[in-house]
Amino acid sequence: MQIHSQSTQDPVSELDRLGDEIAELSAHLDAATARLLELIRAFDARGGWNTGFRSCAAWLSWRVGLDLGAARERVRVARALGTLPLLAEALARGELSYAKVRALTRVATPETEARLLGVGRAGTAAHVERIVRGWRCVDRRAEAREAKHRHTSRALRVYQDEDGMVVVRGRLEPEVGALVLQALAAARESLYQRARERDRASTGFGNVSAETPPRAQQQADALALLAETALHHGLDPGPPGERYQVVVHVDAPVLADPEQPGQSVLEGGTHVSAETSQRLACDGWRAWSGRHGPSGGGDAPG
């Protein structure tokens, strides 16, 4: 009688076990990525990168070795998940991959994330990307209406109060507001350095001895310096300082065609329309970041 020996391990069962282990480990990696994004968000919010680096993404690129484009995408997703708890929890539980979450955060809002979470669970990463592209095409129309409303609602009112003080109230478009905030920050820094120089000249030390005024008063002094500087230089701003540039991150396809999918956000994460980004690139007085693809690319001056 002839006896055939059989392997003690069924090849099909072995492959199933390997497949399960791959899926389980991938879920663990996604959960670890969720924790990483949570840490990045906290580090960014507390300004831990502000030690000579221009942004949290620049610090990540140096500290962790990420490509600058990929680092910017990590920071963007981390910030977005701060307002999207359902997507954040799904990533932390390993239910959604980082690739899916990265795509969904380009269009998700607190009002729409529940529906988009269902999309992420039902399809592949490629399917999610297609849904996001279609979603953005629909959003472009609403975005254009919102941009038009923002533009028409811009206003600046300056009037004299009863005691002679001048009151300034206004609403600025996001990119203009970012420019003003950066200019005020530069002016405050300049005033601080001047105070240090005066203190050094009078006492021999570089520490500002006078009590630091409240931030609101610092802002008022900074605005006065901006006005004086503008009049002194004939309203010619000259080349912007590297430290106080306003940066707009724009996906390269969006910059070429507003109808293409992709992101267009200020450095702080505030969304601006694709049409606005195109205009800023043409104006040339702000810096912009053109990214080729979802996670690559580099900076280009405006």
Side-chain angles (χ1 to χ4, degrees):
M1 184 175 70
Q2 189 174 8
I3 300 176
H4 300 281
S5 62
Q6 294 184 349
S7 172
T8 58
Q9 184 71 42
D10 186 350
V12 176
S13 299
E14 174 67 10
L15 289 177
D16 288 341
R17 186 190 64 79
L18 289 175
D20 291 341
E21 189 172 348
I22 289 171
E24 182 180 356
L25 184 56
S26 296
H28 284 304
L29 290 175
D30 288 326
T33 299
R35 176 57 180 162
L36 173 63
L37 294 174
E38 183 180 339
L39 295 175
I40 290 173
R41 183 168 62 254
F43 186 79
D44 180 38
R46 297 174 62 180
W49 51 268
N50 195 14
T51 55
F53 294 90
R54 292 180 57 188
S55 65
C56 186
W59 180 89
L60 271 177
S61 180
W62 166 78
R63 187 67 174 82
V64 185
L66 285 175
D67 172 80
L68 188 56
R72 286 200 186 102
E73 194 71 352
R74 291 288 178 94
V75 174
R76 180 192 68 78
V77 175
R79 290 171 177 169
L81 290 180
T83 60
L84 302 170
L86 298 181
L87 291 180
E89 291 172 7
L91 179 64
R93 292 194 297 264
E95 295 176 3
L96 290 185
S97 68
Y98 172 70
K100 291 182 180 181
V101 170
R102 182 181 62 189
L104 292 173
T105 52
R106 297 190 190 120
V107 296
T109 65
E111 295 74 26
T112 63
E113 71 162 330
R115 280 185 291 165
L116 289 170
L117 176 60
V119 171
R121 286 171 171 164
T124 64
H127 173 73
V128 171
E129 286 281 359
R130 287 195 298 271
I131 294 295
V132 167
R133 284 196 295 269
W135 193 292
R136 286 192 67 99
C137 287
V138 174
D139 283 351
R140 290 297 186 199
R141 299 174 183 175
E143 183 181 76
R145 290 194 297 270
E146 182 182 355
K148 183 178 180 180
H149 173 72
R150 283 177 175 175
H151 184 70
T152 55
S153 66
R154 74 195 188 283
L156 184 66
R157 298 178 179 87
V158 182
Y159 59 92
Q160 198 165 25
D161 212 347
E162 294 178 355
D163 61 356
M165 297 289 283
V166 174
V167 180
V168 181
R169 297 173 62 93
R171 286 173 52 85
L172 304 175
E173 294 175 88
E175 69 277 6
V176 177
L179 180 67
V180 171
L181 290 176
Q182 293 286 53
L184 289 172
R188 288 199 313 270
E189 177 68 18
S190 178
L191 290 171
Y192 175 76
Q193 294 299 334
R194 291 183 187 183
R196 288 190 62 184
E197 289 299 324
R198 287 195 301 269
D199 193 71
R200 183 180 289 110
S202 60
T203 65
F205 298 97
N207 296 325
V208 180
S209 57
E211 183 179 350
T212 302
R215 183 177 178 84
Q217 293 182 4
Q218 294 180 44
Q219 292 283 74
D221 295 339
L223 181 60
L225 178 59
L226 290 180
E228 292 173 4
T229 303
L231 293 175
H232 179 71
H233 290 283
L235 298 179
D236 178 13
E242 282 292 318
R243 182 176 177 184
Y244 297 104
Q245 284 183 341
V246 174
V247 178
V248 183
H249 300 301
V250 190
D251 286 338
V254 175
L255 199 60
D257 181 0
E259 296 302 321
Q260 294 299 314
Q263 71 167 345
S264 175
V265 295
L266 297 172
E267 182 72 12
T270 302
H271 177 75
V272 295
S273 68
E275 290 78 5
T276 297
S277 299
Q278 286 188 318
R279 175 170 57 79
L280 299 186
C282 293
D283 288 347
W285 55 273
R286 302 169 179 86
W288 61 277
S289 166
R291 301 189 306 107
H292 301 278
S295 61
D299 290 338

